[in-house]
């Protein structure tokens, strides 16, 4: 399978003629090629996007809304095909792609299609004789760069609000999971999206991605990915005075108080630990458990973890598929080895898995639970982004808030308690952008989404995203 760049409504080879291999994580084998795009392709895409900008930004919002609904319908009509492609490209179970990734991509387009027609701005009467009103004008050409873990889900989470706001886009999916972005280009064409409004450039981060960040005509950048990459992007974009939204890594605490509904806390904590092989930025990887329920929670958690099935992601019965790449598998293995040297005890998991058959060279790893580590060790400070969690006992609310806040990250947190006052109190004290009380990953697309500290800068979602992709201009009129 050879995929191509999508520029100005056409599919194109990279200018260099170079391609890179696309590997199927479940088999460890090459199954396609993607463009190894560089500055020349990005420049071509930026030119197409600027050419399309005047007409797209001037189009009545209702017409942008109609086209975006058609894109949503186009994905929905091919839902099974999209889910199978996502599973093959990323290694995630096909059932998960069918109920989570692809429906959410559809929802992103529908949600922001309606945002396009409902977005409004403020006006301020200044005394009796002047009025201020704020114009929200599309920012121009937006650069949207996304990671591999939720490929179409996160790619469209950026593109949809950018298009709804009237921006045109140069977008790059991860080189590790590019196929559904390519399929999206087919859907956009069929839906009648005018040429140049969305341009998709495939390729490596340090080449194609970096060229987007550096391009003088792409001044608005929405990025989701790792903290180290975010730092590099900030260093490049800062001196160029670009507008930046950075959604980065996390090391999220999951706090279980003794008064929690234990059945719900255990079941959901297994989900928040291991969904998508633990490769979700919102997964709770540090599980803090109040000491008097530590053993009962731990034993129930381990029992449910052992019941998870891992194997070929095309098989519906499997709960976990393959990790994204050989390098990522090595990273996860390295962290588990480090946990042992730091004094950790593996309660379950800790081994690479060989499911056999077509998957015998795939990148599978057991869901792994570790205890006995202090909250300051590297395993509890650094993002692993795989199926590995630690269990840490605590005594008091103050102590757990201190430990939960004790990393450089600040993306999300989960709190389990039946004490309503405690729930609100702890939520307010946690230093992060999102707190779930007695649930996890319950999403309302109107809410602000993002992190603090090294988990990012800015917020996505709802009006936050519409504001990001527009510039505010205040007009003051003396009556
Ligand atoms: P990554 O930073 O390696 O890559 C992300 C994207 O950036 C890819 O498309 C990549 O090609 C591109 N890129 C790499 N170097 C670049 C550069 N110099 N300039 C421009 N683009 C560049 O991240 P990843 O490994 O793909 O994703 C995993 C990370 O993403 C984890 O840290 C995870 O926590 C984070 N993540 C965060 C969120 C969130 O909403 N906060 C969501 C999902 C994933």
């Amino acid at each position: 399978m050879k995929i191509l760049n999508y520029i100005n409504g056409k599919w194109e080879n990279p200018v260099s003629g170079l391609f890179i291999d696309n590997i199927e994580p479940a088999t460890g084998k090459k199954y396609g090629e993607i463009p190894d795009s560089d500055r020349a392709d990005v420049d071509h895409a930026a030119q197409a996007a600027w050419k399309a900008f005047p007409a797209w930004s001037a189009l009545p919002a209702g017409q942008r809304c109609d086209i975006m609904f058609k894109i949503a319908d186009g994905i929905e009509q091919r839902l099974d095909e999209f889910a199978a492609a996502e599973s093959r490209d990323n290694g995630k179970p096909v059932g998960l792609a069918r109920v989570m990734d692809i429906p959410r991509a559809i929802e992103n387009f529908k949600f922001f299609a309606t945002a396009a027609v409902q977005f409004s701005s403020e006006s301020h009467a200044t005394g009796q004789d002047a009025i201020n009103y704020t114009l929200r004008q599309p920012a121009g050409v937006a650069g949207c760069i996304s990671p591999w873990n939720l490929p179409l889900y996160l790619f469209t989470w950026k593109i949809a609000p950018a298009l709804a706001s009237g921006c045109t886009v140069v977008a790059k999916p991860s080189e590790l999971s590019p196929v559904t972005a390519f399929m999206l280009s087919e859907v956009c064409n069929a839906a009648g999206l005018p040429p140049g409004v969305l341009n998709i450039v495939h390729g490596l981060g340090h080449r194609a991605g970096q060229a987007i960040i550096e391009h003088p005509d792409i001044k608005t950048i929405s990025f989701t990915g790792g903290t180290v990459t975010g730092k590099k992007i900030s260093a490049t974009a800062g001196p160029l005075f670009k507008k930046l939204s950075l959604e980065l890594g996390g090391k999220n605490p999951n706090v279980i108080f003794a008064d929690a509904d234990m059945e719900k806390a255990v079941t959901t904590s297994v989900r928040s630990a291991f969904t998508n092989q633990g490769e979700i930025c919102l997964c709770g990887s540090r599980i803090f458990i109040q000491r008097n329920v530590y053993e009962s929670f731990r034993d129930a958690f381990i029992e449910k973890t052992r019941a998870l099935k891992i194997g070929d992601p095309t098989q519906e019965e499997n709960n976990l598929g393959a990790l994204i790449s050989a390098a990522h598998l090595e990273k996860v293995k390295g962290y588990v080895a480090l946990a042992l040297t730091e004094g950790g005890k593996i309660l379950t998991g800790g081994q690479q898995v060989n499911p056999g058959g077509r998957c015998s060279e795939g990148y599978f790893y057991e869901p792994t639970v570790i205890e006995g580590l202090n909250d300051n060790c590297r395993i509890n400070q650094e993002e692993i982004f795989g199926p590995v969690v630690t269990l840490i006992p605590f005594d008091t609310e103050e102590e757990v808030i201190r430990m939960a806040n004790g990393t450089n990250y600040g993306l999300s947190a989960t709190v389990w308690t039946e004490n309503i006052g405690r729930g609100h109190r702890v939520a307010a004290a946690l230093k992060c952008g999102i707190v779930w009380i007695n649930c996890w990953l319950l999403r309302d697309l109107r809410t602000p989404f993002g992190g603090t500290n090294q988990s990012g800068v800015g917020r996505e979602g709802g009006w936050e995203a519409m504001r990001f992709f527009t510039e505010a201009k205040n007009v003051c009129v003396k009556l």
Side-chain angles (χ1 to χ4, degrees), residues 376-391:
N376 287 320
C377 69
R378 281 186 58 197
I379 300 298
N380 280 326
Q381 291 291 318
E382 297 175 16
E383 185 185 47
I384 301 174
F385 211 54
V388 179
V389 296
T390 58
L391 307 185

Side-chain angles (χ1 to χ4, degrees), residues 227 246 248-249 405 407-411 431-432 451-457 459:
T227 294
L246 298 173
L248 310 176
N405 286 339
T407 73
N408 289 328
Y409 293 105
L411 187 53
K431 291 186 183 151
C432 59
T452 62
N453 210 356
Q454 294 191 10
S455 288
V457 178
R459 292 292 179 274

